[in-house]
């Protein structure tokens, strides 16, 4: 069996790759691994379990809860809430672990399981490996089960919604009075949370998209991966700002008053400058990834802000932040981590912080985002190839070196295997969009030939 855990938990086609049996078994294994590590020492363990609205989340939630309770873990079921809300509640309620069921921006048939440690922190790779090993050891074998009063109890924690909203409002630097906002909840976990908290913060939510989850329509032509409806709605309703979330609302992209996309790099640049100005930017440093646009790096140099870049994945951004004491980091995809207020990317908090900057400066989104100029960037996802050989195939490495030599100092090439999908990503930046497209297409063809 290949490694189950990717860069963001266990993810796959629900009821095929991610089955009820697997969800139950992993939950049992997680309880045992954390218990053996001493995480439950001296007290009865408690877990917070949440999910996005996917139909498959209903049976997977039941399986996870069954696995935890059968292992002697009490469960607080918080229902449909964003991933960052589950992380916050895991910490705020003093729980020993948290579990979020979501496949984020993936299409509805997929789902995923993400385990969180005490404090709402992501699990280390070593702990995930131990859970996999324990799952394989238990599969098909008997294990010692608690009985009687030692089995876990399950109760709903409906007040989690209000607790999370109160937290978001408590960390805002200023109110949003006077702002007109359109919010796209992607028919996902933030469909109710985000519009409500923006209203309570003083914004006028002039229109909402993706605010009616059915369990079948999550991410369906809307949300942070499909911005066209949000662009049109912002212009139609004369809004100052549009906010788009993904299925589990751990990311945020924005749209300015003219309907132009504001990506995660631009949002991060705006917020980094705001925090630097307020004296709250830890060590005068922002953390990005190797996928950050070259324009972001140049903007931070010009603003006198240090930039640290990590491997792709918000978990690696977070690791760097925790290790070196930084408090702001994020990805181009819209994952932004405010480590003073959250343990993971929080799309609703990101949107609120961007809106707060608008309200405080009285500037437009376009003016604020102009702090950086995005260089043309072309990203091609090459499917149906052996992604495991992307970093070692000699012919491919030669082609990458040739492309880098062609671009020189005015561009760059990044080739990486997806951590959550079976594909290889080819990213090329250049001063000229046509050059970037041409180089990316040639490299993508080499990937198909060499790894197909």
């Amino acid at each position: 069996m290949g490694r189950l855990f990717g860069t963001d938990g266990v993810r796959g086609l629900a009821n095929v790759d991610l089955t009820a049996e697997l969800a139950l078994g992993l939950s049992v294994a997680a309880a045992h691994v954390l218990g053996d590590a001493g995480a439950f020492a001296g007290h009865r363990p408690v877990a917070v379990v949440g999910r996005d609205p996917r139909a498959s989340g209903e049976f997977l939630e039941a399986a996870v809860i069954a696995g935890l309770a059968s292992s002697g873990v009490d469960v607080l079921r918080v229902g449909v809430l964003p991933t960052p809300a589950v992380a916050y509640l895991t910490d705020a309620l003093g729980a020993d672990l948290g579990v979020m069921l979501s496949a984020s921006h993936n299409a509805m048939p997929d789902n995923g399981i993400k385990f969180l440690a005490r404090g709402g922190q992501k699990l280390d790779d070593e702990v995930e490996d131990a859970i996999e090993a324990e799952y394989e050891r238990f599969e098909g074998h008997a294990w010692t089960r608690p009985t009687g009063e030692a089995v876990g109890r399950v109760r709903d924690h409906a007040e989690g919604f209000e607790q999370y909203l109160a937290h978001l409002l408590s960390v805002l630097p200023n109110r949003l009075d006077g702002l007109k906002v359109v919010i796209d909840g992607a028919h996902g976990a933030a469909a109710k949370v985000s519009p409500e908290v923006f209203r309570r913060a003083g914004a006028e939510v002039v229109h909402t998209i993706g605010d009616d989850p059915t369990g079948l329509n999550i991410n369906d032509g809307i949300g942070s991966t499909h911005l066209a409806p949000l662009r049109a709605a912002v212009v139609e309703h004369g809004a100052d700002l549009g906010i788009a979330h993904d299925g589990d609302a751990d990311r945020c992209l924005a749209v300015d008053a003219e309907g132009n996309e504001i990506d995660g790099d631009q949002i991060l640049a705006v917020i980094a400058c705001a925090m630097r100005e307020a004296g709250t930017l830890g060590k005068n440093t922002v953390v990005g990834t190797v996928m950050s646009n070259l324009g972001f790096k140049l903007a931070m140099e010009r603003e006198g802000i240090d930039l640290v870049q990590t491997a792709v994945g918000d978990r690696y951004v977070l690791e760097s932040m925790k290790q070196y004491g930084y408090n702001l980091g994020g990805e181009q995809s819209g994952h932004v981590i405010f480590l003073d207020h959250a343990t993971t990317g929080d799309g609703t908090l990101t949107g609120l912080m961007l809106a707060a900057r608008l309200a405080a400066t009285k500037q437009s989104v376009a003016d604020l985002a102009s702090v950086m100029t995005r260089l043309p960037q072309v990203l091609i996802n090459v499917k149906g190839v052996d992604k495991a050989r992307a970093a070692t195939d000699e012919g491919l490495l030669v082609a990458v070196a040739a492309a880098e030599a062609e671009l020189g100092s005015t561009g760059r090439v990044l080739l990486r295997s997806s951590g959550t999908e079976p594909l290889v990503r080819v990213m090329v930046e250049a001063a000229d969009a046509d050059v970037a497209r041409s180089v990316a297409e040639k490299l993508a063809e080499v990937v198909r030939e060499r790894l197909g």
Side-chain angles (χ1 to χ4, degrees), residues 176-184 194-195 198-199 201-209 230 233-234 237-245 254-255 351-352 354-356 358 365:
L176 311 182
D177 300 281
L179 282 185
K180 294 183 177 181
V181 182
V182 176
I183 297 175
D184 182 349
S194 195
F198 268 85
R199 292 187 184 102
E204 180 185 354
V205 180
V206 295
H207 187 64
T208 56
I209 303 170
L230 180 61
V234 168
H237 293 274
D240 304 300
L241 171 68
I243 294 294
H245 300 299
V255 167
L352 288 168
L354 178 61
L358 261 67
V365 183

Side-chain angles (χ1 to χ4, degrees), residues 48-72:
V48 171
V49 177
R51 64 181 180 88
D52 73 20
R54 292 167 208 264
S56 59
E58 296 167 3
F59 77 78
L60 289 171
E61 175 191 62
V64 166
I65 291 173
L68 293 173
S70 70
S71 302

Side-chain angles (χ1 to χ4, degrees), residues 162-241:
E162 287 293 336
Q163 289 175 315
Y164 177 55
L165 261 63
H167 163 66
L168 293 174
L169 292 170
S170 73
V171 302
L172 265 188
N174 52 270
R175 286 183 55 80
L176 311 182
D177 300 281
L179 282 185
K180 294 183 177 181
V181 182
V182 176
I183 297 175
D184 182 349
H187 293 310
K192 306 303 180 187
V193 165
S194 195
E196 180 63 20
V197 75
F198 268 85
R199 292 187 184 102
R200 294 190 193 184
E204 180 185 354
V205 180
V206 295
H207 187 64
T208 56
I209 303 170
D211 62 349
D212 186 25
T214 65
L216 306 178
N217 58 1
I218 188 170
N219 299 323
D220 188 9
I222 54 175
S224 61
T225 53
H226 303 88
L227 290 176
L230 180 61
R231 289 193 185 105
V234 168
V235 173
E236 178 185 351
H237 293 274
D240 304 300
L241 171 68

Side-chain angles (χ1 to χ4, degrees), residues 22-300:
L22 177 59
L24 189 149
L26 285 174
S27 300
V28 170
H32 280 254
V33 166
L34 293 173
D36 291 344
F40 308 155
H43 66 279
R44 188 177 174 96
V46 176
V48 171
V49 177
R51 64 181 180 88
D52 73 20
R54 292 167 208 264
S56 59
E58 296 167 3
F59 77 78
L60 289 171
E61 175 191 62
V64 166
I65 291 173
L68 293 173
S70 70
S71 302
V73 179
D74 290 338
V75 176
L76 298 175
R77 179 169 47 203
V78 298
V80 175
L81 281 178
T83 291
V86 173
Y88 168 73
L89 291 169
T90 300
D91 183 28
L93 299 174
D96 299 285
L97 72 154
V99 186
M100 179 66 187
L101 294 156
S102 176
S104 187
H105 61 282
N106 286 25
M108 183 278 294
D110 286 351
N111 215 321
I113 302 176
K114 185 186 303 184
F115 292 99
L116 300 167
R118 177 179 283 277
Q121 305 288 337
K122 291 196 174 186
L123 296 182
D124 294 335
D125 290 345
E126 295 76 14
V127 178
E128 290 182 341
D129 289 341
I131 292 172
E132 280 199 28
E134 190 79 347
Y135 168 76
E136 292 179 18
R137 187 171 73 84
F138 278 158
E139 196 174 16
H141 295 83
W143 51 279
T144 303
R145 302 168 183 265
T147 58
E149 64 180 14
V151 301
R153 304 298 300 274
V154 182
R155 70 177 178 88
D156 291 328
H157 187 76
E159 54 266 49
F161 181 93
E162 287 293 336
Q163 289 175 315
Y164 177 55
L165 261 63
H167 163 66
L168 293 174
L169 292 170
S170 73
V171 302
L172 265 188
N174 52 270
R175 286 183 55 80
L176 311 182
D177 300 281
L179 282 185
K180 294 183 177 181
V181 182
V182 176
I183 297 175
D184 182 349
H187 293 310
K192 306 303 180 187
V193 165
S194 195
E196 180 63 20
V197 75
F198 268 85
R199 292 187 184 102
R200 294 190 193 184
E204 180 185 354
V205 180
V206 295
H207 187 64
T208 56
I209 303 170
D211 62 349
D212 186 25
T214 65
L216 306 178
N217 58 1
I218 188 170
N219 299 323
D220 188 9
I222 54 175
S224 61
T225 53
H226 303 88
L227 290 176
L230 180 61
R231 289 193 185 105
V234 168
V235 173
E236 178 185 351
H237 293 274
D240 304 300
L241 171 68
I243 294 294
H245 300 299
D246 60 336
D248 70 335
D250 63 352
R251 70 173 70 180
C252 165
L253 293 181
V255 167
D256 69 18
E258 302 300 320
N260 300 305
E261 176 186 346
I262 307 298
D263 70 11
D265 285 340
Q266 292 169 292
I267 293 171
L268 198 56
V270 170
I271 292 171
C273 290
M275 290 178 64
R276 188 269 314 273
E277 182 182 303
T280 59
L281 184 62
K283 297 188 176 181
N284 195 47
T285 298
V286 61
V287 181
T289 76
V290 293
M291 283 290 286
S292 298
N293 191 279
L294 186 56
F296 176 67
K297 180 179 180 181
L298 297 175
M300 293 299 94

